[in-house]
Amino acid sequence: MVADNLLDRRSARRKTPMTRFVRNDIISLIGAAPRHDLAESVGPDLRLAELIHPDDDELGALRLGYATAAGDPKLRAAIAAQHGVAADDVVITVGGMHALFLSAYVLCGRGEEAIITTPVFPLARDALTSVGATVRPLPLRFEEDYRLDWRRLAALLSPATRLVSLASPQNPSGVGLPHAVLTGVLSAMAARCPDAFLLIDETYRHAVYDEDRAASSAALLGPQVIVTGSLSKCHGAPGLRIGWAITRNAALREQIMLGKFSTVIANSTVDEMFALRVLAQAEDIIDARRRHLSDTLARTAAWVEDNAGLVAWVRPDAGALCCVRLRPDVFDEAAVARFYAALGRLDARVGNGTWFGEEPRVFRLGFGLLPVWELEAALDALTAALQQARRSAA
């Protein structure tokens, strides 16, 4: 009888769906790309040939053993130099998402509270829900250019808050968080939840335009701050799965390092070697991308102006992405659905706002991946989809 009951319980458990990780349609970005891809959030990809030198003795002599759990010391020093911190403050992770997940796993137990703003990169939110945290979102409004009022965020803080997770610039909007906003958040946290941590994902910090200077890193704002980043966006190297978590809190840094060791042991030595080469060329790489992003942002701005009767946008502070909204007075819900259907017929895509917790009439437009001439063609396809959806409504 006991054995039968045990089998019954096991059978019941097998019928329970596994829902720890939530599916989001943003996963389509790592599938086959359409002809006109305006959904991506990256710039042009680096090519391996740009990192391999003639007679590359270093590559041939590289030992394919385990790297260290914290990451290659030279690589940590190079990352630290970009943030004004010590190398020992840096833990190398397998991409920026690994850093976000480890921070959530270490800091947020089941039922403990984490605060985010929306719209938000869905994997940043899902890392928190997957560890059982109670996520309290603060919606930011398109009409207010997705600007964060730290006083509104402070109203969500409580003694149960363990983590406030933000990004600057934000994904999907490209809107940055000024220093005064971050210090306001930290001041409120010190008063209401002094043991909580503020995480700032700075993945797009160096993806600036024209003569703009990259904002200063938040890594020096205090020991209750975590900064995450990666080589995926500004440097064009998402194929090198290299990210990082930076904190001046020694106990937290130790836990992130142990979490990394317990999940992946170490990064690839090959990835770390090439990452160091990317950072050695970082100034040239980022300058070239600055020129590209300046050109493609200008073209996107012109497209928005040309279609002002159909769409509005929030101009980004940095990054290869922005948010565009279909005008409510022109597109009802049915017309919004027709717009996405028309994009599919035209072999084009954008990032549906629902991926990020926004309404579907808002979409993320990625203007950094394509060469200018391909961006022109993609924007023409976008215009055609708008016209088709509008004509059908008429």
Side-chain angles (χ1 to χ4, degrees):
M1 177 68 78
V2 174
D4 289 343
N5 289 340
L6 180 60
L7 288 173
D8 289 342
R9 289 197 298 273
R10 287 176 176 171
S11 177
R13 283 198 296 268
R14 281 197 298 270
K15 293 176 183 177
T16 301
M18 294 178 289
T19 57
R20 185 169 294 255
F21 295 104
V22 178
R23 182 179 179 84
N24 187 293
D25 285 341
I26 199 171
I27 198 172
S28 63
L29 294 183
I30 59 170
R35 179 183 177 190
H36 304 298
D37 194 356
L38 293 170
E40 270 292 0
S41 59
V42 297
D45 295 328
L46 279 180
R47 296 184 181 274
L48 192 57
E50 297 176 67
L51 303 177
I52 295 178
H53 314 307
D55 303 321
D56 202 329
D57 295 335
E58 183 185 19
L59 181 59
L62 181 67
R63 293 181 180 272
L64 299 181
Y66 283 114
T68 62
D72 178 84
K74 292 181 181 179
L75 179 58
R76 287 190 288 122
I79 293 167
Q82 292 192 341
H83 295 80
V85 298
D88 286 345
D89 296 331
V90 180
V91 178
I92 307 300
T93 57
V94 184
M97 192 59 236
H98 192 208
L100 293 176
F101 179 81
L102 290 175
S103 299
Y105 187 85
V106 168
L107 292 172
C108 297
R110 186 163 295 279
E112 293 178 323
E113 293 183 0
I115 295 173
I116 62 171
T117 60
T118 59
V120 64
F121 179 54
L123 275 65
R125 176 190 58 217
D126 295 346
L128 296 163
T129 58
S130 70
V131 300
T134 299
V135 178
R136 303 191 68 187
L138 174 66
L140 304 182
R141 293 170 52 82
F142 183 96
E143 295 84 356
E144 297 171 351
D145 292 340
Y146 295 122
R147 299 295 172 185
L148 172 61
D149 181 344
W150 67 265
R151 297 169 187 81
R152 290 181 59 214
L153 188 148
L156 297 180
L157 298 172
S158 79
T161 304
R162 294 293 178 265
L163 181 66
V164 177
S165 181
L166 306 174
S168 183
Q170 301 161 355
N171 182 356
S173 68
V175 173
L177 300 176
H179 182 84
V181 169
L182 297 179
T183 55
V185 172
L186 282 170
S187 177
M189 292 172 64
R192 302 186 189 185
C193 47
D195 294 330
F197 283 82
L198 172 63
L199 185 152
I200 308 295
D201 184 4
E202 295 183 344
T203 293
Y204 292 100
R205 182 168 68 92
H206 284 103
V208 293
Y209 320 120
D210 298 319
E211 301 304 315
D212 294 348
R213 293 177 60 86
S216 298
S217 174
L220 292 175
L221 289 181
Q224 297 302 110
V225 173
I226 315 161
V227 162
T228 60
S230 76
L231 296 182
S232 298
K233 308 299 184 182
C234 300
H235 302 82
L240 296 179
R241 301 307 301 141
I242 294 292
W244 51 83
I246 300 173
T247 179
R248 300 166 72 193
N249 186 298
L252 176 59
R253 187 170 62 252
E254 171 81 1
Q255 279 295 300
I256 291 173
M257 186 271 291
L258 291 174
K260 174 190 173 181
F261 178 72
S262 298
T263 52
V264 299
I265 301 179
N267 288 80
S268 158
T269 54
V270 177
D271 283 358
E272 288 192 339
M273 186 193 74
F274 281 118
L276 194 54
R277 293 187 181 187
V278 169
L279 291 178
Q281 302 177 39
E283 186 173 343
D284 291 338
I285 289 171
I286 290 173
D287 280 351
R289 284 158 197 279
R290 178 200 302 266
R291 294 191 294 272
H292 172 72
L293 289 178
S294 299
D295 290 344
T296 55
L297 175 65
R299 180 62 195 98
T300 302
W303 176 85
V304 171
E305 184 176 355
D306 291 344
N307 292 276
L310 303 175
V311 299
W313 76 324
V314 174
R315 188 182 181 94
D317 297 321
L321 70 180
C322 63
C323 282
V324 177
R325 185 171 69 174
L326 305 181
R327 288 177 58 99
D329 56 333
V330 179
F331 297 88
D332 60 12
E333 290 185 8
V336 172
R338 287 195 297 270
F339 165 71
Y340 285 107
L343 279 179
R345 291 191 298 270
L346 293 166
D347 200 17
R349 70 178 174 190
V350 293
N352 192 311
T354 58
W355 295 359
F356 311 98
E358 249 292 11
E359 61 175 335
R361 73 172 59 254
V362 176
F363 59 86
R364 185 181 76 181
L365 191 157
F367 55 80
L369 176 65
L370 302 176
V372 173
W373 66 271
E374 288 190 20
L375 176 64
E376 294 274 3
L379 291 173
D380 287 345
L382 195 55
T383 301
L386 291 170
Q387 296 290 357
Q388 288 180 26
R390 184 190 189 194
R391 265 203 307 270
S392 297

